């Protein structure tokens, strides 16, 4: 869905129209779904604690990797939230030009 200029936002150089606005709104809907799914997964992962009885190297490695994954999900959530903000800004620009 990337435009020739390297942006994820639809090209509007031909003049903003209702179709462009509809595409941006669909993109926003999809981004929200992905962002919310990442957030839910991160919360579920953060809510899991390793039992104190875990002592083997494999158990400790599993717990460590789970913490790393939680950090990765937080970064993905922030990137998706930034992308959602950019789409909202594009929608505002297109609406102002209509």
């Amino acid at each position: 869905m990337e435009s020739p200029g390297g942006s994820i936002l639809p090209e509007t150089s031909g003049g903003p129209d209702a179709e462009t606005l509809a595409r941006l709104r669909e993109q926003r809907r999809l981004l929200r779904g992905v962002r919310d799914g990442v957030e839910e997964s991160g919360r579920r992962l953060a809510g899991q604690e390793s039992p104190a009885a875990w002592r083997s190297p494999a158990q400790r490695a599993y717990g460590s990797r789970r913490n790393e994954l939680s950090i990765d999900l937080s970064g993905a959530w922030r990137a998706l939230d930034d992308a959602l903000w950019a789409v909202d800004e594009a929608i505002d620009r297109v609406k102002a030009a209509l």
Side-chain angles (χ1 to χ4, degrees), residues 11-86:
E11 189 63 47
T12 59
S13 62
D17 58 15
E19 183 181 329
T20 299
L21 190 57
R23 286 194 321 244
L24 284 167
R25 286 179 172 155
E26 175 65 7
Q27 209 168 31
R28 178 174 60 187
R29 184 187 69 76
L30 294 170
L31 272 170
R32 278 184 182 153
V34 173
R35 183 201 59 185
D36 293 350
V38 167
E39 181 179 21
E40 181 182 331
S41 295
R43 286 182 183 190
R44 219 175 23 246
L45 192 62
Q48 297 175 2
E49 294 197 19
S50 300
W54 281 13
R55 297 186 184 176
S56 77
Q59 289 168 325
R60 286 192 306 269
Y62 175 79
S64 177
R65 181 60 190 128
R66 202 169 57 201
N67 289 338
E68 291 172 12
L69 183 56
S70 181
I71 292 166
D72 290 346
L73 285 170
S74 291
W77 183 89
R78 282 190 300 278
L80 288 163
D81 199 53
D82 288 347
L84 187 55
W85 177 85

